[in-house]
Amino acid sequence: MPSPRQALISVSDKTGVVDLARVLARLDFRILSTGGTARLLGDAGVAVTEVADYTGFPEMLDGRVKTLHPRVHAGILARRDLPAHVAAMQREGIDFIDLVVVNLYPFQQTIARADCSFDEAVENIDIGGPTMVRAAAKNHAHVAIVTDPADYGRIVEELTASNGGLSAATRLALAKKAFSHTARYDGAISNYLTSLDEDRVPQPFPARLNVAVEKAQDLRYGENPHQAAAFYRDLAPAPGTLASYAQVQGKELSYNNIADADAAWECVRTFEAPACVIVKHANPCGVAQAATLADAYARAYATDPTSAFGGILAFNRELDGATAAEVVKDRRFVEVVIATGYTAEALAAFAPKTNVRLLAVPGGTGRNDFDMKRVGGGVLVQTPDSRNVAPAELRVVTKQAPTAAQLTDLLFAWRVAKYVKSNAIVFCADGRTLGVGAGQMSRVDSARIASIKAQNAGLTMAGSVVASDAFFPFRDGLDVVVDAGAAAVIQPGGSMRDDEVIAAADERGIAMVLTGVRHFRH
């Protein structure tokens, strides 16, 4: 690219733009600008020409028209390698524009405000900005387009090193980013407008859903070696979600690692006390909370040591050395460990286990706006299952009421059941799981499996509590858990045979509470 000598700067986000403009001025760029950007640069002592003075046409319609002019767009779009283009530019007395620095009106930030009106949203739809961005990106063979202030530093370095030039590779990379920028911008506008009904009232799901994600990494393969895979993350992941992880040790993550890590992390971060969740094949196989992470881990591991082999461990605190030492002892094998951070002692304990993947995820309570699942030719979209019931919402339906200790365990079991594949049955006692039955077509079979797992681990279920993610359609499932030792049950209710199930609970002398909330997970 010939040394660029004319740049157009018009930005909404003015971070770093003065320093950039000063460098451009030192490199003999003529700087064109608009409105607030021009005033900012002028006040900083940078020589700048207003676009209105350059085009000879005044900014009008409250700023809706200012850069939409042939002197601007011909300068951006002209091909320097076509004699006809060059001749046309010379005939009309139009100079080439070689560098365009533009970012757009803050539409997304505007509509995120609770008090944003429809008219305000519409006025924050940028027209001139995207037009210049797309024009410059299309003509990237001759023009550089910069849309992200984070790129100013490397642009300045390259311009300075080459006396004002940018390589073809850099211009292409900037063009890719520019088209992604406008696509995301237009997608946000479409999502907003198509979510409004005829009275301009926002609805939960837009008629056209545009999702913008970026590739974080290629993966070795998908769920199976014959499947290709990659991990994409939201452009702005919700605080506290898995996509914000930093890997601090271990080999490359796999498709299954990330899927299971998400299941473990989403479960563990719902607990306030120090907690550990162990996941295998997307299901919790051990969950516990305790006064320390080490105790929580030991109790979670004891639920199902067999299934814990090769599992995913998640902790809702910074991982300490004592807990890390427990994780790596006795030839225990784990694939991934997730925590909010790691002490130096914890890192030292894991250092010999070079294949163990350690992920640090900053704390936060953010949630995805939507959960999505691909099906043949379409996508299922729903709001996330973030509902937790409070004690006051529970309805005791049996003659026997749960004790205070049982109530605490029932709520713990209920949180765990939300993250177990349906049909889900979870035995718990004293803030820990005893047996987990997951993913069976029959709720009775899930109940049997949960009790068998507890027995295999040598755990006593007498006096335990049980959570069922959906109602008991018949009393047979209830009889299985009571025969195994359950003294209290939490379930949504809502079956046509609720009365029969409640009568069976009274007959067996146990307590039962209903949540009115179901937690299917497929």
Side-chain angles (χ1 to χ4, degrees):
M1 168 180 169
S3 178
R5 288 294 175 259
Q6 186 156 243
L8 192 155
I9 305 176
S10 181
V11 293
S12 175
D13 180 356
K14 295 177 174 53
T15 304
V17 74
V18 171
D19 291 337
L20 173 65
R22 285 174 174 154
V23 173
L24 295 176
R26 287 201 301 270
L27 293 169
D28 295 327
F29 279 85
R30 177 186 183 185
I31 297 176
L32 309 177
S33 192
T34 61
T37 305
R39 288 191 295 274
L40 177 67
L41 298 181
D43 291 344
V46 178
V48 61
T49 300
E50 282 266 10
V51 165
D53 296 331
Y54 176 71
T55 63
F57 198 89
E59 181 178 317
M60 61 185 296
L61 304 181
D62 299 319
R64 286 189 171 200
V65 177
K66 48 190 172 187
T67 59
L68 299 170
H69 191 280
R71 286 185 65 83
V72 172
H73 286 281
I76 295 172
L77 284 165
R79 288 180 56 176
R80 282 65 158 168
D81 60 337
L82 291 182
H85 281 206
V86 174
M89 296 288 284
Q90 291 173 344
R91 183 174 62 249
E92 300 300 330
I94 300 175
D95 296 326
F96 296 120
I97 296 174
D98 302 287
L99 177 65
V100 176
V101 182
V102 170
N103 53 59
L104 311 178
Y105 292 172
F107 178 81
Q108 289 162 290
Q109 296 94 319
T110 300
I111 62 172
R113 295 199 337 259
D115 62 347
C116 175
S117 68
F118 176 79
D119 289 341
E120 187 177 5
V122 169
E123 285 307 311
N124 274 276
I125 297 175
D126 203 331
I127 302 300
T131 306
M132 289 188 291
V133 169
R134 290 175 59 83
K138 175 176 180 175
N139 202 27
H140 66 270
H142 308 284
V143 180
I145 170 64
V146 185
T147 57
D148 186 352
D151 290 329
Y152 292 172
R154 68 185 184 94
I155 296 301
V156 163
E157 288 181 7
E158 187 172 342
L159 287 170
T160 302
S162 59
N163 192 31
L166 291 174
S167 68
T170 296
R171 296 195 307 275
L172 178 57
L174 291 170
K176 292 176 182 179
K177 194 166 187 176
F179 278 122
S180 297
H181 184 58
T182 56
R184 180 191 182 195
Y185 192 77
D186 287 340
I189 295 168
S190 172
N191 288 347
Y192 171 74
L193 292 177
T194 65
S195 72
L196 303 178
D197 65 16
E198 57 273 14
D199 296 318
R200 299 179 180 173
V201 176
Q203 302 302 305
F205 302 100
R208 299 287 184 271
L209 179 60
N210 299 273
V211 179
V213 293
E214 61 184 353
K215 187 166 73 172
Q217 65 187 94
D218 289 310
L219 303 175
R220 287 180 297 161
Y221 49 77
E223 286 186 280
N224 301 290
H226 61 274
Q227 295 172 270
F231 175 49
Y232 286 78
R233 63 162 56 95
D234 292 341
L235 301 183
T241 52
L242 183 75
S244 57
Y245 74 81
Q247 185 168 353
V248 298
Q249 179 188 294
K251 60 185 179 180
E252 181 184 2
L253 289 162
S254 73
Y255 180 98
N256 292 332
N257 289 155
I258 293 175
D260 287 350
D262 185 62
W265 180 246
E266 285 299 308
C267 183
V268 80
R269 73 190 188 108
T270 66
F271 296 103
E272 292 78 27
C276 172
V277 173
I278 306 175
V279 161
K280 188 73 171 288
H281 294 304
N283 277 301
C285 60
V287 181
Q289 57 185 4
T292 67
L293 285 186
D295 286 344
Y297 166 70
R299 301 172 85 219
Y301 181 82
T303 300
D304 190 350
T306 301
S307 296
F309 183 84
I312 310 290
L313 274 59
F315 299 91
N316 62 351
R317 297 283 196 282
E318 180 181 60
L319 194 64
D320 58 274
T323 307
E326 287 297 310
V327 172
V328 301
K329 78 175 187 179
D330 299 334
R331 299 171 60 86
R332 293 180 185 178
F333 169 53
V334 297
E335 289 276 3
V336 181
V337 178
I338 316 159
T340 61
Y342 299 85
T343 66
E345 293 78 11
L347 292 175
F350 281 114
K353 306 289 186 178
T354 56
N355 286 337
V356 176
R357 305 158 179 92
L358 302 183
L359 306 184
V361 182
T365 58
R367 300 284 175 186
N368 294 331
D369 292 332
F370 299 120
D371 284 343
M372 291 180 279
K373 181 180 292 186
R374 197 79 164 96
V375 297
V379 178
L380 290 169
V381 181
Q382 64 177 350
T383 56
D385 185 5
S386 55
R387 180 83 155 82
N388 283 322
V389 297
E393 298 176 273
L394 300 179
R395 184 162 64 96
V396 179
V397 293
T398 49
K399 297 173 183 175
Q400 180 72 35
T403 66
Q406 287 174 334
L407 182 61
T408 298
D409 278 332
L410 287 168
L411 289 170
F412 174 85
W414 186 242
R415 288 200 182 188
V416 175
K418 183 168 71 171
Y419 296 96
V420 178
K421 298 288 187 179
S422 300
N423 287 310
I425 295 289
V426 181
F427 283 85
C428 293
D430 192 25
R432 58 166 294 186
T433 50
L434 300 174
V436 179
Q440 301 303 304
M441 291 70 75
S442 162
R443 191 161 299 277
V444 176
D445 287 342
S446 288
R448 289 174 178 147
I449 289 171
S451 62
I452 290 170
K453 281 187 169 292
Q455 292 165 6
N456 288 345
L459 300 174
T460 300
M461 290 184 290
S464 63
V465 307
V466 167
S468 174
D469 66 336
F471 60 66
F472 289 95
F474 303 95
R475 68 169 291 168
D476 50 1
L478 179 74
D479 284 328
V480 170
V481 301
V482 176
D483 287 344
V489 171
I490 185 169
Q491 57 124 332
S495 167
M496 294 175 59
R497 296 179 177 83
D498 270 355
D499 289 344
E500 292 179 23
V501 174
I502 293 168
D506 282 332
E507 176 189 319
R508 302 298 301 269
I510 69 164
M512 178 178 288
V513 298
L514 304 186
T515 66
V517 177
R518 189 182 74 185
H519 283 310
F520 271 166
R521 186 177 178 88
H522 293 104

